[in-house]
Amino acid sequence: REGDDEEAIKRMFTPEFRNRLDATISFAGLSPKIVSLVVDKFVMQLEVQLEDRNVTIELDSASRNWLVENGYDENFGARPLGRVIQDYIKKPLADELLFGKLMKGGVVHVSLKNGELAFDIRPEDPKKKLIKSKRKRSGKDNGDSKKTPELVD
């Protein structure tokens, strides 16, 4: 692949321009495992945006795989993923957030049904909503997971 990159650079750019380049760096495509981590990052960012509305999002493995397949392009990498999440998660949930089941918070379980994303929305009373610690959001557990969670009044 490295020889192909150099050949393409020679075809595209004049010797004067190539002489000004310090180095060329080749990038390999992303593996599905890495794209899955990018999906998790985007969903975590969405949860942070919805945190003040007491909304959490949970993806099952099938919906995560669907996002990986539809949000990754060999030519553009994971760039299309933001648009896919916008079109298939954010937009469908907007009405629920403003006028529906998520007005007072809740949990959105995202699954795959008939090849499309489906939402199981479970509204929760904010007064009984558990406070999520920063440790849980960051994925770190310091062994104190046996502590009783604090309830919001």
Side-chain angles (χ1 to χ4, degrees):
R1 175 178 166 136
E2 191 170 318
D4 293 342
D5 292 345
E6 287 180 24
E7 193 62 37
I9 290 170
K10 286 180 182 178
R11 279 194 318 266
M12 294 291 294
F13 301 108
T14 63
E16 293 82 12
F17 179 80
R18 290 193 314 258
N19 190 39
R20 292 176 182 257
L21 298 176
D22 292 329
T24 57
I25 301 171
S26 300
F27 291 95
L30 300 174
S31 70
K33 183 177 179 181
I34 298 296
V35 178
S36 180
L37 294 173
V38 176
V39 166
D40 291 340
K41 176 187 176 278
F42 273 96
V43 171
M44 190 180 302
Q45 286 176 335
L46 179 57
E47 278 192 315
V48 169
Q49 292 172 351
L50 298 174
E51 194 170 41
D52 62 331
R53 300 187 72 112
N54 294 323
V55 174
T56 58
I57 298 174
E58 298 176 356
L59 299 175
D60 67 8
S61 61
S63 62
R64 180 175 286 105
N65 290 338
W66 188 91
L67 289 168
V68 167
E69 290 172 13
N70 290 284
Y72 177 75
D73 181 272
E74 273 190 37
N75 295 321
F76 298 108
R79 286 192 181 117
L81 186 58
R83 188 173 297 115
V84 168
I85 288 176
Q86 173 76 26
D87 292 343
Y88 294 96
I89 295 179
K90 288 182 180 180
K91 284 182 182 178
L93 292 180
D95 283 339
E96 293 294 340
L97 283 163
L98 296 173
F99 312 111
K101 297 176 184 176
L102 294 173
M103 284 177 54
K104 295 181 180 179
V107 178
V108 179
H109 297 277
V110 184
S111 60
L112 194 65
K113 291 184 182 168
N114 299 324
E116 295 183 11
L117 294 182
F119 304 102
D120 177 22
I121 299 171
R122 298 191 183 146
E124 290 187 7
D125 183 359
K127 293 182 179 181
K128 295 184 179 180
K129 180 107 175 126
L130 295 176
I131 294 178
K132 291 186 177 183
S133 69
K134 295 288 182 190
R135 277 178 267 123
K136 182 176 179 186
R137 184 164 302 285
S138 68
K140 295 179 183 174
D141 186 7
N142 297 333
D144 56 355
S145 60
K146 295 179 183 176
K147 291 182 181 178
T148 305
E150 184 179 335
L151 294 176
V152 176
D153 288 326

